[in-house]
Structures are given as C-alpha cells and as structure tokens.
Amino acid sequence: QVQLAESGGGLVQAGGSLRLSCAASGRTFSMCAMGWFRQVPGKEREFVAAISWSGGSTDYADSVKGRFTISRDNAKNTVYLQMNGLKPEDTAVYYCSADRRPYSTRPYEFDYWGQGTQVTVSS
C-alpha cells in the first residue's frame, strides 16, 4: 500500500508559478505510475497529468499542456507538479494519486489518493 501527502499549494497571482510535491510512503513507490488530479466544488475530479513508474512517459490534460510539468524522484519517493503560467481557472484542490499495479502501462488505474492541497490563482 502507498500513502500520499501533498504539499506546496497556496495563493498566487495569475501568471505565477507553484511547485506541488507528493511524498509517498512504502517500498513500492518506484514501481507505481503516479498522477495529479484536481477538483473544484460542484465539479468532478479531473485529470491533470500522469507519469509512468520509470518517469519515461508522461501525459497531460490539454488544458495544462505546455504550462505544467510532472516529474518524479524515485530515490526520494516524491512526485512533483511544476505549474507555470497559472490562470484563475487552475484554482482547485490538487490531489496526488498512485496506480497500485506494479510497472503498469496505460491506461492507468489510480487507486491511492492523498488528502489534497489547495491552489488558488487570483486574477
């Protein structure tokens, strides 16, 4: 089992940057595909980005392509989401997730979730 804890959220002006971190516990982190999702009140949780267990493959939602970058450091059991060029519509609670299947390929199945971190972008 993997436990996840996000950090790095906050308030930023439009055009600014934030880097979210997700620290994972458990020896299986390096075998897990990881993802970031976000949710605003009254809406469904939406996919933001994903990275394969090795870090060799990444996927992004169209709305964040070219602005957000997902990466991971398996030695530190941490996955990151670098967010540049933030827009007010990026305001949401951001969740880290993990695919429990070792060495999985697309389509990923995200089974483990963190508690979320709030990102607020002011105009």
Side-chain angles (χ1 to χ4, degrees):
Q1 189 169 353
V2 176
Q3 294 182 323
L4 307 171
E6 304 94 337
S7 61
L11 174 64
V12 64
Q13 288 188 332
S17 298
L18 283 174
R19 188 175 82 156
L20 305 184
S21 299
C22 174
S25 64
R27 296 176 297 171
T28 60
F29 172 81
S30 63
M31 299 186 285
C32 299
M34 301 294 295
W36 286 97
F37 288 72
R38 65 188 182 186
Q39 188 170 24
V40 298
K43 292 190 177 181
E44 291 189 357
R45 191 171 296 185
E46 67 171 355
F47 169 77
V48 174
I51 188 166
S52 62
W53 64 271
S54 67
S57 297
T58 56
D59 301 286
Y60 296 94
D62 288 343
S63 59
V64 307
K65 276 181 184 175
R67 299 188 298 123
F68 291 11
T69 303
I70 189 171
S71 61
R72 66 189 298 159
D73 185 337
N74 285 346
K76 295 183 178 180
N77 277 17
T78 302
V79 63
Y80 304 98
L81 185 68
Q82 178 66 45
M83 305 185 295
N84 298 329
L86 282 162
K87 305 175 181 180
E89 52 263 42
D90 293 318
T91 296
V93 177
Y94 283 71
Y95 296 92
C96 176
S97 59
D99 185 334
R100 64 180 175 87
R101 302 168 302 159
Y103 308 120
S104 63
T105 57
R106 303 182 187 94
Y108 302 125
E109 298 176 5
F110 292 107
D111 308 289
Y112 300 120
W113 297 88
Q115 294 300 306
T117 186
Q118 177 71 46
V119 172
T120 302
V121 184
S122 62
S123 57

